Amino acid sequence: MRILVLNGPTLNMLGTREPEVYGTLTLADIEEMVRQRAAELGEVQVAFQQTNHEGELVDMILAHRDWDGLIINPGAYTHTSIALADAISACPDLVVAEVHLSNVHQREEFRHHSYVARVAWGQITGFGWRGYLAALDMIYGRLVEAGRA
Ligand code: DHK
């Protein structure tokens, strides 16, 4: 079972970026916890990518078209990118979980809408770094259920 964890713009700054909103853990810390959880689950291969560029996010999604799962925090592109939504739609076999560290619904109005949510299986928002682990568990459970483990 292969799952890509994809993080978008400015998530490389986690740890120092508005810690009261996004928490104090770095992306490397989150990656470590996800890897540990994947090892506990067994038979789960996880890969991590981060980019600040919209087109690179599209390329990375399409390059993993034949993988099983995608955990994506598209950062600000969540609220603007039809291109990301189209890329996800082009990958019908990817089980997609959208993750946000902060609770976007408690924040500015422009963060309430997600183009990605229309095409993702589900959205996890507001649980900080725990959202990534929850997303992994959700995708894993669904893939096991579908006999794709
Ligand atoms: C991360 C961002 O960079 C913001 O642009 C989103 C999301 C929220 C988060 O909470 O992880 O609006």
Side-chain angles (χ1 to χ4, degrees):
M1 193 186 289
R2 295 179 300 177
I3 298 176
L4 174 67
V5 185
L6 191 52
N7 283 283
T10 320
L11 290 161
N12 54 322
M13 299 302 291
L14 285 182
T16 54
R17 174 195 185 195
E18 299 179 81
E20 66 290 354
V21 177
Y22 297 106
T24 53
L25 295 189
T26 65
L27 200 53
D29 294 332
I30 294 174
E31 174 171 345
E32 181 53 32
M33 281 190 290
V34 171
R35 285 197 186 284
Q36 268 180 30
R37 181 74 189 127
E40 282 163 22
L41 293 171
E43 291 177 33
V44 183
Q45 180 192 327
V46 281
F48 281 78
Q49 306 261 22
Q50 189 276 331
T51 174
N52 293 327
H53 304 278
E54 184 177 14
E56 285 182 6
L57 286 168
V58 169
D59 286 344
M60 287 172 185
I61 292 167
L62 297 179
H64 294 81
R65 194 173 189 275
D66 62 342
W67 281 36
D68 302 292
L70 172 67
I71 296 170
I72 183 166
N73 183 344
Y77 290 132
T78 305
H79 319 296
T80 61
S81 181
I82 297 168
L84 272 187
D86 281 354
I88 290 170
S89 294
C91 305
D93 293 336
L94 270 185
V95 176
V96 181
E98 176 186 346
V99 171
H100 300 289
L101 293 146
S102 64
N103 185 334
V104 290
H105 301 291
Q106 291 174 348
R107 301 181 64 194
E108 304 94 324
E109 191 92 28
F110 63 83
R111 294 186 205 274
H112 297 181
H113 177 262
S114 165
Y115 283 100
V116 172
R118 291 203 69 213
V119 293
W121 177 34
Q123 185 195 59
I124 296 168
T125 185
F127 296 99
W129 57 268
R130 292 176 179 82
Y132 288 85
L133 299 187
L136 179 61
D137 284 345
M138 294 300 140
I139 292 174
Y140 177 82
R142 177 160 158 186
L143 290 171
V144 167
E145 211 173 75
R148 289 172 64 183

